[in-house]
Amino acid sequence: MNILMFAHGGSLNRGCEAIVRSSAAIIQSRIRKAKLMLASGRPETDRGLNVTVVDGSARTLKKFSPEWIISSVRCKLTGDESYALGRIHRNVIRRIREADVCLSIGGDNYCYGEQPGLYEIDRRIKKMGRKLVLWCCSVGEEDLSPRKLEDLRRFDLILARETLTCDVLRGRGLDNVRLVADPAFTLPDIRLPLPPGWKEGDTIGVNMSPLVAGRSPAALEAVRGLIRHVLETTESAIALTPHVVEEGNNDLDVLRPLREEFGATGRVLLLPGDLNAMELKGFIARMRFFVGARTHATIAAYSSGVPTIVLGYSAKSKGIARDLFGRERLVIDTRVAADPAPALIAAFDEMTACETELRERLANVIPRIQAMSRRSADYLAELA
């Protein structure tokens, strides 16, 4: 089976890297002779992945070029943007014929408004007679639109990575949906030497993203308040943990100021931004607790048995927690809470009080979740 993976923005987002690494391992272990090609928006960041990486970056139409003129005329006269989108995304489209099955692998791409480029790629895939799979996705009720639903009906298979998404899509009449779990629950870790300032058995990981901080400045203040709370009431060390280091979307932009503010305590350290997803998981796995905004940073913690607070902002955070705990436990929706600081402190106190219970719960449930992750390749094999 020749498989084309697309909708991957590059591995400077360690969550995207984790999806590719773990998906490739799952597929190759379950489907004999599977050949994987990754169309990447930033192929230069994807070295070391166990797949064939090709350029899948979007092109810019040069102003006044023939393709720009044709695109402009078509859009203006008929509203038809398919030609323009086809030219913009031709690096992906030209690879379709090399595949039997095409996997749209950006787990939460469908959480963020309309995606006309993806819709056009999907349309071309089906026009060429290839199988189309939405791989381990999350979609909230608030994310759906008539246009997005039309695109979702094109898929031969939609693999929802948590029950909330599965229920939402089935509730909208989609019968091509199967429940699995995020492949990154199976990602192995690499354990590098611990850095200076790390307190073995008592280091708390903290991750924050510009996306959450931008949407809710109060959430960043809440994290700052939590750090003060930890420093004042415990002996723990704190490891600020970047999980995305893309330009314009770099966790270091919000974590470095926190390191500067609290570094003089000698108990707050910043992990480097050049660690890959497995190396980051190796540090997260040795933390006592974790507090994170990035979904795959929290998945690294959950899957390592580390009690975790999620600064959630979409269906994926709530759905994953529900599948792990039977309810949305220790998830703080930063979009809803006007002042999330008290909720975050309360969640931290609950997490510390229930540490043993949470660790036991994760130890019991993670093997089942990992089995669900691997089931995604079995559903894929059924398409052959």
Side-chain angles (χ1 to χ4, degrees), residues 118 200 298 304 356 366:
L118 290 180
E200 290 196 55
T298 65
S304 302
T356 300
I366 289 301

Side-chain angles (χ1 to χ4, degrees), residues 62-78:
K62 187 176 180 181
K63 197 169 184 179
F64 301 122
S65 66
E67 59 187 1
W68 181 88
I69 293 171
I70 294 170
S71 298
S72 299
V73 170
R74 287 193 177 190
C75 288
K76 186 172 183 179
L77 293 181
T78 68

Side-chain angles (χ1 to χ4, degrees), residues 185-200:
F185 276 99
T186 67
L187 184 75
D189 64 45
I190 294 175
R191 303 204 173 191
L192 300 176
L194 295 171
W198 188 284
K199 191 172 183 179
E200 290 196 55

Side-chain angles (χ1 to χ4, degrees), residues 6-180:
F6 69 99
H8 169 74
S11 288
L12 293 180
N13 183 323
R14 307 307 183 198
C16 295
E17 176 199 345
I19 289 174
V20 173
R21 285 188 184 277
S22 51
S23 297
I26 288 169
I27 292 169
Q28 290 165 344
S29 70
R30 308 288 255 221
I31 302 177
R32 291 187 61 227
K33 298 183 179 179
K35 295 181 179 179
L36 296 167
M37 180 187 297
L38 174 68
S40 172
R42 298 193 64 181
E44 73 278 5
T45 69
D46 294 309
R47 299 184 184 92
L49 302 183
N50 192 25
V51 296
T52 299
V53 180
V54 298
D55 183 7
S57 60
R59 299 172 61 252
T60 300
L61 301 186
K62 187 176 180 181
K63 197 169 184 179
F64 301 122
S65 66
E67 59 187 1
W68 181 88
I69 293 171
I70 294 170
S71 298
S72 299
V73 170
R74 287 193 177 190
C75 288
K76 186 172 183 179
L77 293 181
T78 68
D80 179 12
E81 58 185 2
S82 61
Y83 175 83
L85 292 170
R87 301 307 294 168
I88 291 168
H89 295 286
R90 73 176 183 184
N91 282 337
V92 175
I93 291 169
R94 68 192 181 93
R95 297 288 182 174
I96 295 171
R97 295 192 187 280
E98 301 176 45
D100 303 305
V101 180
C102 299
L103 306 187
S104 183
I105 65 167
D108 54 1
N109 284 337
Y110 281 72
C111 292
Y112 304 117
E114 299 293 359
Q115 301 290 333
L118 290 180
Y119 303 161
E120 183 61 25
I121 294 170
D122 296 343
R123 190 182 69 80
R124 303 273 183 125
I125 289 169
K126 294 310 300 174
K127 186 177 180 180
M128 295 182 200
R130 270 48 178 184
K131 298 291 186 180
L132 176 61
V133 178
L134 185 52
W135 183 256
C136 302
C137 67
S138 288
V139 187
E141 183 69 42
E142 69 277 11
D143 302 316
L144 293 173
S145 66
R147 191 177 183 188
K148 191 172 292 184
L149 279 167
E150 179 185 4
D151 180 66
L152 290 170
R153 292 188 181 99
R154 291 191 179 102
F155 285 85
D156 297 282
L157 177 64
I158 296 175
L159 298 175
R161 62 180 167 183
E162 26 73 20
T163 52
L164 188 59
T165 291
C166 190
D167 292 346
V168 164
L169 296 181
R170 287 176 176 172
R172 288 299 195 100
L174 294 166
D175 58 5
N176 53 350
V177 182
R178 301 292 179 269
L179 177 63
V180 292

